[in-house]
Amino acid sequence: MMWSTWRLNRTALLISLSAIAILITATLTAGLYVPRYPQISWSFSRMCSRWNDVGPCRPETALTLSTLCALLLPLLLGMFVGIPAFAREVDARNHVLALTQSTSRIQWYLAPVIVVFLPISAAMTCLGLALHWATGLSRNSSSALYGPSVSFSWFDFPHFETAGVVLGAYTLLMLLVGSTLVLMFRSGVMSILATLFIFLFIVPVAFTWIAREHYGSPTVESEPINGLYRESEYPPNPYYTTDGTWVVHAGYVDSSGAGVRPRTDRCHQPYPDDYWDPRAWETDEERSERTRLETLDRAARFDDCLRDQGVDRFDIRYYTEDKFWRFQAIETGLMLTFALVAGGVGMWRARRLT
């Protein structure tokens, strides 16, 4: 049975493994060149405007394309490898002949999983580890003005999904989902559309935006209200960090820590028309001191207005980067659990094929 499965799927398997090998080679090569430019930090979407650009441009382009391909490959492999692995036999009813031989239905189902799905998933895991190594070197930079910094957090999309072991688990899940759907629908088109929907729901929605921040208890940092500054024309961005910290929530809270959404427009105080005009009897130093004191008073009244609406402080909830591999392990375990469920449904459906 294994030999028959290999003969039927060897083209798709070899093409898939070759494409993954090319991406791994490009990623490792880019990772070797990046340390030559310590003042440059790469982040996703950095690409050359022209291929003849010099410096770090080509390694950055290679990393961007490798990351993009790694993000999309689980979906593409699920649609164009996982689904055809069973569709070609079900559509042509070759499974009827196979199941009349000494092969059991469970063996018939597991053969493509072992011969095709597991090697591809292992190769994708290697790609994820290669991306973690290469992008880890390329996200660090140092400048005389700001000092050492990183251009993105490991928890950011799409780095968490592509730079680590979870990439292999995503791939195995989508391969099993595609194969199970084709056994259920017996329609390649319907299976492709359903696989696309499931992938788009799982990756950017269910886990990236909803579930992942609940894998642990975030660190909470409380700051003063400082409402006038936070609601100014150019407010600080609490979600922007330069040390890889992943901020999951930032906002006003009450004394119990529950989120509060005050009506900040009620607290704005228009400046008088002559606010910035110097007084006739004032020196420049006196004017600066007057405006400083008035600004402090306006800030205090702004905060009092927010306190009247239940605001007690400004909380920032975040995870430090030392939680990255723990989160990777949790999400990988969840993906493998879902893969087992998809495989179980596939085996159940295989036992009822006619």
Side-chain angles (χ1 to χ4, degrees):
M1 189 63 201
M2 297 295 183
W3 176 249
S4 174
T5 301
W6 157 254
R7 292 186 62 185
L8 287 172
N9 297 280
R10 60 187 174 186
T11 301
L13 176 61
L14 292 176
I15 291 176
S16 301
L17 293 178
S18 298
I20 297 170
I22 292 173
L23 290 175
I24 292 175
T25 302
T27 299
L28 295 177
T29 303
L32 293 174
Y33 276 91
V34 164
R36 301 183 182 185
Y37 309 96
Q39 76 282 5
I40 300 296
S41 61
W42 170 85
S43 59
F44 185 67
S45 77
R46 292 283 295 275
M47 297 182 66
C48 291
S49 59
R50 300 179 306 276
W51 183 244
N52 60 355
D53 287 346
V54 295
C57 183
R58 293 184 185 180
E60 289 178 340
T61 301
L63 288 175
T64 295
L65 293 178
S66 296
T67 302
L68 179 61
C69 289
L71 180 65
L72 297 177
L73 266 179
L75 171 63
L76 298 177
L77 291 170
M79 292 193 300
F80 300 112
V81 177
I83 292 175
F86 288 92
R88 62 169 60 94
E89 291 201 49
V90 173
D91 291 344
R93 299 190 61 80
N94 291 337
H95 68 285
V96 177
L97 177 60
L99 295 177
T100 58
Q101 308 301 316
S102 59
T103 303
S104 69
R105 292 175 180 268
I106 300 302
Q107 290 175 327
W108 176 82
Y109 177 81
L110 290 178
V113 175
I114 296 173
V115 174
V116 182
F117 297 176
L118 291 182
I120 290 177
S121 301
M124 289 292 286
T125 302
C126 294
L127 174 59
L129 293 174
L131 279 169
H132 184 271
W133 173 77
T135 55
L137 295 175
S138 65
R139 73 189 185 122
N140 299 319
S141 66
S142 181
S143 66
L145 181 60
Y146 299 105
S149 65
V150 297
S151 56
F152 60 86
S153 169
W154 286 123
F155 295 98
D156 290 347
F157 180 87
H159 302 291
F160 187 91
E161 293 77 8
T162 58
V165 294
V166 75
L167 181 60
Y170 269 118
T171 303
L172 180 61
L173 173 61
M174 297 315 300
L175 288 167
L176 289 170
V177 165
S179 64
T180 298
L181 290 174
V182 78
L183 292 176
M184 295 179 64
F185 295 142
R186 294 201 177 190
S187 168
V189 175
M190 285 293 297
S191 301
I192 288 176
L193 293 176
T195 302
L196 175 62
F197 173 80
I198 291 174
F199 178 80
L200 293 178
F201 176 76
I202 286 178
V203 177
V205 179
F207 288 91
T208 301
W209 295 335
I210 299 177
R212 189 171 299 149
E213 65 180 76
H214 302 293
Y215 292 168
S217 299
T219 301
V220 180
E221 180 179 320
S222 297
E223 298 181 353
I225 298 175
N226 203 4
L228 186 63
Y229 179 45
R230 298 188 196 281
E231 306 300 328
S232 62
E233 183 177 1
Y234 301 103
N237 181 6
Y239 293 92
Y240 174 76
T241 61
T242 58
D243 59 355
T245 297
W246 180 38
V247 177
V248 296
H249 179 74
Y252 299 114
V253 299
D254 59 19
S255 57
S256 66
V260 178
R261 292 187 177 181
R263 289 286 304 275
T264 56
D265 56 314
R266 297 178 181 177
C267 305
H268 286 292
Q269 307 153 39
Y271 287 93
D273 293 338
D274 61 346
Y275 179 78
W276 299 107
D277 296 339
R279 305 294 188 265
W281 63 87
E282 284 183 328
T283 64
D284 290 342
E285 292 77 10
E286 291 173 335
R287 174 175 173 272
S288 298
E289 180 64 13
R290 175 179 60 83
T291 56
R292 185 184 70 84
L293 294 175
E294 289 182 359
T295 301
L296 292 175
D297 179 66
R298 294 172 66 85
R301 283 185 282 136
F302 199 104
D303 288 353
D304 288 340
C305 175
L306 293 181
R307 289 190 185 94
D308 292 339
Q309 300 181 59
V311 176
D312 181 70
R313 60 187 184 274
F314 190 90
D315 275 0
I316 300 176
R317 292 177 170 84
Y318 64 91
Y319 290 101
T320 53
E321 285 206 316
D322 57 0
K323 303 291 194 302
F324 172 75
W325 286 111
R326 176 189 171 193
F327 277 41
Q328 280 272 313
I330 293 173
E331 191 152 315
T332 299
L334 289 173
M335 293 300 103
L336 293 178
T337 300
F338 293 145
L340 288 175
V341 173
V345 174
M347 285 190 286
W348 170 80
R349 185 58 187 165
R351 297 184 65 173
R352 283 158 177 76
L353 282 177
T354 57

